[in-house]
Amino acid sequence: IMDGDGEDKPNDLLKLIKKSQDHEDKIIVAKRKKRSESILFKLLYKIYKISFYFLTGKIIDFGNFVLMSKNHINKLISMPEINNHLAASIIKSKLPIIKIPIDRGDRYLGKSKMNYESLILHGLKAISVFSNQVIVRIIIFSILLIFFLTIIVIFIFYIRFFTDFLIPGQATSALGLLMIFILVILTNSILISFLYSSINNNYYYEIEKNFESLIVVEKKSNK
């Protein structure tokens, strides 16, 4: 799988093919060593990879320049996530991967369609492939944050009402603000959980409905 604009260099196909001859059971992917975009774009891309790691626990450092066998393709095309992001779907599939460091080439003509808006959308699509892990990590982070804020609230409350230590008059305001933060985080976590459950239920409902439709069509064709 490769782009035809020159950024995936045809000469590098030999590297992927040679490596696959020694590892026929593995997917061979091109890990980018050098990129030709602007400094800002590279920075945003780095932020995307760091965000992907913290939200999913996985490292993503390759794109669509990939060599795979028919067996690998058969497994990947059965994954609905592949419509969102190929590289992330390969990682989620847990198929064995070998990475080869390869520089990105220069485009033959025109400009890349990957602007800053596209990069953000690209990153969100990659993260969405691991929606289960992301939801769990967000909830865990929210619980830890609520626990931390609760300790601060208790500490301020104790100093304010049970000690002679004088603190600024803003302590009450800070206490109220922290309570609001806790409620907002708790509410968002609950909403995210219910939203995910709803989306998941609808997804499996659609699969079941489509499967039943296929059975009806097959019965009619057999008649």
Side-chain angles (χ1 to χ4, degrees):
I1 302 171
M2 65 184 295
D3 291 335
D5 56 9
E7 292 188 356
D8 296 335
K9 296 180 290 185
N11 291 340
D12 290 330
L13 282 171
L14 297 176
K15 297 179 183 178
L16 272 65
I17 293 171
K18 184 177 179 180
K19 181 64 72 172
S20 71
Q21 290 173 344
D22 300 326
H23 304 277
E24 295 181 357
D25 60 328
K26 295 180 173 62
I27 296 178
I28 315 300
V29 302
K31 179 181 177 181
R32 296 304 184 189
K33 290 194 304 181
K34 182 180 177 182
R35 305 183 68 93
S36 57
E37 294 90 351
S38 66
I39 296 176
L40 179 58
F41 191 93
K42 290 178 182 178
L43 177 62
L44 290 174
Y45 196 80
K46 190 72 174 178
I47 293 172
Y48 148 63
K49 292 200 293 184
I50 293 172
S51 301
F52 184 88
Y53 174 74
F54 278 107
L55 288 171
T56 67
K58 310 292 182 182
I59 296 174
I60 186 165
D61 54 5
F62 63 93
N64 295 340
F65 194 11
V66 176
L67 188 151
M68 65 180 72
S69 70
K70 181 181 177 181
N71 292 332
H72 296 145
I73 294 173
N74 288 335
K75 180 171 182 178
L76 285 170
I77 61 176
S78 67
M79 298 176 61
E81 297 90 349
I82 200 172
N83 292 321
N84 284 350
H85 200 278
L86 174 61
S89 298
I90 291 175
I91 295 173
K92 186 174 183 179
S93 71
K94 296 184 180 179
L95 290 168
I97 300 172
I98 289 185
K99 301 175 182 179
I100 300 179
I102 293 177
D103 291 336
R104 183 181 288 276
D106 296 322
R107 293 177 66 88
Y108 296 132
L109 188 67
K111 295 182 179 180
S112 174
K113 295 180 180 178
M114 181 63 80
N115 52 29
Y116 300 117
E117 182 180 338
S118 300
L119 178 61
I120 294 173
L121 183 60
H122 179 75
L124 291 174
K125 284 184 176 181
I127 292 171
S128 70
V129 172
F130 294 90
S131 56
N132 290 8
Q133 292 89 332
V134 172
I135 294 296
V136 171
R137 283 173 175 253
I138 289 175
I139 291 174
I140 291 173
F141 175 76
S142 299
I143 292 172
L144 291 175
L145 188 57
I146 288 172
F147 179 74
F148 176 72
L149 291 176
T150 301
I151 291 175
I152 295 176
V153 168
I154 294 172
F155 179 72
I156 294 175
F157 185 84
Y158 176 79
I159 291 177
R160 176 70 176 80
F161 296 102
F162 295 98
T163 68
D164 296 329
F165 183 77
L166 297 177
I167 55 176
Q170 291 84 0
T172 306
S173 300
L175 203 63
L177 191 60
L178 287 172
M179 292 297 294
I180 291 173
F181 281 152
I182 291 173
L183 288 174
V184 168
I185 294 169
L186 185 61
T187 303
N188 286 338
S189 299
I190 294 171
L191 286 175
I192 289 172
S193 301
F194 279 116
L195 180 62
Y196 173 73
S197 299
S198 176
I199 292 172
N200 225 21
N201 291 336
N202 289 336
Y203 170 71
Y204 286 112
Y205 171 75
E206 288 296 326
I207 289 178
E208 185 179 358
K209 187 171 66 174
N210 292 335
F211 184 69
E212 290 174 353
S213 300
L214 286 172
I215 293 175
V216 171
V217 170
E218 186 177 359
K219 287 180 178 179
K220 288 182 178 179
S221 63
N222 287 337
K223 288 181 181 179

